Amino acid sequence: MKSIILIAPPSAGKGTISKILCEEYRLPHISTGDLLRNATLNDDEQGNYIKQQMNLGNLVSDDIIISLVENRIMDNDCTNGYILDGFPRNLKQAKHYDNFIAKKNINMGIVVLLDIAREEAKQRILGRVSCSNCGAVFNLYSNDTRPRIAGLCDRCGATLTRREDDNSDVFDIRFSTYLKETKPVADYYESKGLLYKIDSSVPLPKVLEQVEEIIRREND
Ligand code: AP5
């Protein structure tokens, strides 16, 4: 099974799709947002710096993120592939990743861009709530992903909360950061003939269908 790299604007559905694909294909989910949110639980200088950058909508330093991702990829459960959600996020990270996988003899896998317009993504971010216990993600404005009981997780019943960076002002910065830093990564992979682009503004089952079709084709 090939690894999958998901590139997307904020709130395009990377996390939601990753979780479904991980269960379906039994691959570990490497979410850089989650790795960083875990790192903020340490009340130390680095944890506080990460929290500040995330709440401002800026990228965290390349050194920190590269070291977190590379260490995670070296874990045993990643030997047969993984789903990379949120990395690489700029050209420096992409080129670093190329060197890293070449050195470790890791297959590049499949690169998928989940494409969505700014306003649609903004709506999603303003409706997003996540479970404080199991991390499941829902959306108050979507029939596909709305929690069955308001305020409670469908999976474990714990309370649903909002992320601190999910507000209109920080979204605008995150989207601009995407255009300036991350969109060139998609262009980089496209120029190498590695990129699949899919429309992520459609209902979740349709997004999933498109990604599954790419995975089937690539693994044949
Ligand atoms: P990260 O956590 O990765 O945030 P993001 O990229 O902004 O992406 P999101 O998590 O907001 O959205 P998503 O695409 O996962 O969407 P989701 O599935 O939740 O990063 C956060 C911060 O960490 C960054 O700003 C940066 O500071 C730092 N960081 C991370 N990686 C870094 C890196 N490599 N380098 C440096 N810094 C880094 O879906 C969104 C909502 O829409 C949900 O409510 C969901 O239910 C709903 N939804 C999903 N799909 C659909 C659909 N098809 N139809 C309707 N609703 C849908």
Side-chain angles (χ1 to χ4, degrees), residues 11 14-16 32 58 86 89 128 138-139 163 174 202:
S11 203
K14 295 187 302 299
T16 304
T32 51
N58 298 330
R89 205 111 154 181
R128 172 165 57 191
F138 303 89
N139 201 287
R163 264 169 51 177
R174 283 158 65 192
V202 293

Side-chain angles (χ1 to χ4, degrees), residues 54-212:
M54 291 177 86
N55 286 344
L56 287 170
N58 298 330
L59 294 186
V60 170
S61 86
D62 293 326
D63 290 348
I64 291 178
I65 197 71
I66 286 169
S67 141
L68 282 172
V69 170
E70 290 184 353
N71 285 335
R72 179 67 186 88
I73 290 175
M74 294 322 290
D75 286 344
N76 286 340
D77 64 335
C78 293
T79 313
N80 296 320
Y82 41 84
I83 297 187
L84 204 40
D85 156 7
F87 182 94
R89 205 111 154 181
N90 61 25
L91 282 175
K92 183 172 172 197
Q93 293 177 13
K95 288 178 183 167
H96 208 285
Y97 185 67
D98 283 350
N99 292 334
F100 173 74
I101 59 173
K103 232 186 288 163
K104 301 288 179 192
N105 213 10
I106 295 171
N107 190 295
M108 179 68 208
I110 309 167
V111 187
V112 179
L113 171 67
L114 302 178
D115 209 10
I116 190 167
R118 183 185 201 120
E119 278 316 303
E120 179 98 33
K122 192 169 194 168
Q123 271 306 105
R124 284 189 187 173
I125 234 159
L126 297 179
R128 172 165 57 191
V129 284
S130 6
C131 177
S132 50
N133 178 46
C134 71
V137 176
F138 303 89
N139 201 287
L140 304 176
Y141 305 143
S142 160
N143 291 334
D144 297 323
T145 54
R146 186 179 295 124
R148 283 194 293 270
I149 302 172
L152 297 181
C153 177
D154 287 4
R155 284 199 185 169
C156 70
T159 313
L160 298 176
T161 56
R162 276 183 195 280
R163 264 169 51 177
E164 277 187 55
D165 55 346
D166 278 357
N167 60 66
S168 180
D169 291 345
V170 178
F171 170 82
D172 288 341
I173 299 170
R174 283 158 65 192
F175 202 92
S176 300
T177 304
Y178 165 77
L179 291 178
K180 185 164 167 257
E181 304 280 350
T182 313
K183 174 77 176 40
V185 175
D187 299 340
Y188 172 71
Y189 288 127
E190 188 166 34
S191 71
K192 288 172 160 246
L194 289 172
L195 188 77
Y196 286 98
K197 268 190 224 176
I198 67 163
D199 178 7
S200 180
S201 62
V202 293
L204 190 54
K206 292 275 171 209
V207 180
L208 197 56
E209 241 172 57
Q210 297 176 76
V211 183
E212 287 169 338

Side-chain angles (χ1 to χ4, degrees), residues 16-32:
T16 304
I17 290 290
S18 296
K19 285 190 183 111
I20 298 171
L21 296 177
C22 284
E23 281 188 15
E24 199 176 332
Y25 299 104
R26 298 187 177 281
L27 291 175
H29 177 199
I30 306 180
S31 154
T32 51

